[in-house]
Amino acid sequence: MNIIEAIKQRKSIRQFTKQEVRDEDLEEIIELARRAPSSVNGQQISLIYTKDRDIIEKIAHLSGGQAQISDCSVFVSIIGDFYRDRVYHESVGEKLTDDVQRLKDVIATDAGIMAMVLNYAAMEKGYGCTIIGGVKQATEEISEILGLPKDTYIALGLTIGVPTSEAKAGTMKPRIEKKAFAMQDRYNKEVQTMAVKEYEKELDNWFKSINVNQPLYGEVIKRFYSK
């Protein structure tokens, strides 16, 4: 699968077969991820990957009991890593900034980039993935499991596995209409409210078509972003 097809076909895969991810494929996926761009080329993202079923089950439980994590072949923890920067600073008689928010702003950007590079690299090899934000529900506990030192932060997780035939055949989740997403020259305020309402209907119909009971799009937005 080339990169254009991977982007066109990307969807979260939540059902995996028992087939393992091949070691040579995993090595190439990681090597491709190592080429991901980063803020000021600081490369402040590290990966901890595991096939250990006990570790995966613990992370699944701590991330909200997600079955898609339990069923995956490989779980990748995407780590904002300023530990090596602190060690470097100390080696030259300097101190790492104590502005944690500044560090987390860098991590938020770079972790998102890394997650997508990993996702597309895995897809090219025939695997499926889901990006997992639930790891942030239990950062202290997961940090202990992974042996993370000071100045490292759990940013995201990623499942990798062989998708079931049903998962591969699943339809693509709809998106907000293009005119509300991509605007030429100036922001178009007028289309946004109606775009949300129309998308809510389309997404609700899509969920019903796959027999999934989910709250309406607007309810999800309010849950996460209301005061």
Side-chain angles (χ1 to χ4, degrees), residues 8 20 28 68 85 89 104 110 126 129 133 153 160 164 166 181 186-187 194 196 204 207-208 215:
K8 286 180 178 179
E20 294 291 330
E28 187 167 359
Q68 60 192 333
D85 295 86
H89 276 72
K104 288 187 174 181
D110 291 359
C129 305
Y153 307 88
I160 305 177
T164 63
E166 292 81 7
F181 163 69
R186 292 177 61 85
Y187 191 87
M194 187 56 66
V196 170
D204 187 46
F207 277 125
K208 288 176 180 175

Side-chain angles (χ1 to χ4, degrees), residues 11-62:
K11 58 187 174 184
S12 295
I13 297 296
R14 296 182 171 86
Q15 293 85 36
F16 301 103
T17 71
K18 299 298 183 183
Q19 185 177 345
E20 294 291 330
V21 172
R22 298 193 306 167
D23 289 339
E24 55 267 36
D25 289 342
L26 183 57
E27 283 298 316
E28 187 167 359
I29 290 166
I30 290 169
E31 185 58 30
L32 290 168
R34 201 163 64 91
R35 301 301 308 169
S38 60
S39 302
V40 300
N41 191 37
Q43 301 174 68
Q44 274 98 20
I45 295 293
S46 295
L47 306 177
I48 298 179
Y49 61 92
T50 183
K51 293 184 175 184
D52 186 293
R53 301 315 310 173
D54 184 54
I55 294 175
I56 290 174
E57 285 294 342
K58 288 178 180 177
I59 293 174
H61 173 71
L62 291 167

Side-chain angles (χ1 to χ4, degrees), residues 192-203:
Q192 300 302 335
T193 299
M194 187 56 66
V196 170
K197 292 180 178 179
E198 290 175 353
Y199 178 65
E200 182 174 71
K201 294 176 184 177
E202 183 181 9
L203 184 61

